[in-house]
Amino acid sequence: VYVGGLSEGVSKVEISLSLEMFGEIEEVRIPRDKNTGLRRDFAFVKFASPSSVERALLDPSECETYTIKPAFKFAPEEDSKATRRALRRKVTCYFESLVSLMVI
């Protein structure tokens, strides 16, 4: 998942500790700016199970420190703007339908 709103000095360990309530975390990656080499204000978190991702995306208010959104990774042969847009629409619709079911 994409995790935004990171403060300047936050560590991978701190991010993991903040998000472990959703499930086991395999990896936290904080990208660097290509021009400056400085860390960006977001990270990508890889959970050990899909159910952990689902919990994080369905109830991001549980983690008040960061913004949590879906993140996507594609195989090189599938990586196109049209593919990414189509998948984002499907994932967004899926989670919106789950949220609406939970409200009823």
Side-chain angles (χ1 to χ4, degrees), residues 6-71:
L6 302 182
S7 59
E8 190 174 315
V10 71
S11 71
K12 292 178 181 182
V13 171
E14 290 172 307
I15 295 169
S16 292
L17 291 173
S18 295
L19 300 178
E20 68 183 1
M21 70 182 109
F22 299 117
E24 181 183 347
I25 295 173
E26 287 186 359
E27 177 185 14
V28 176
R29 188 173 61 86
I30 304 173
R32 294 191 173 272
D33 184 282
K34 291 177 184 176
N35 297 322
T36 65
L38 298 174
R39 292 170 40 158
R40 308 287 300 268
D41 64 346
F42 61 90
F44 295 102
V45 175
K46 182 178 180 183
F47 286 95
S49 74
S51 62
S52 298
V53 172
E54 196 168 288
R55 279 193 298 275
L57 294 173
L58 284 175
D59 197 5
S61 64
E62 286 292 321
C63 179
E64 298 172 0
T65 312
Y66 309 118
T67 302
I68 302 173
K69 297 180 183 180

Side-chain angles (χ1 to χ4, degrees), residues 70-89:
F72 307 95
K73 185 173 183 178
F74 297 94
E77 64 274 6
E78 298 173 342
D79 193 12
S80 72
K81 286 183 181 179
T83 303
R84 288 189 296 248
R85 274 194 303 268
L87 182 59
R88 281 189 182 104
R89 277 194 301 272

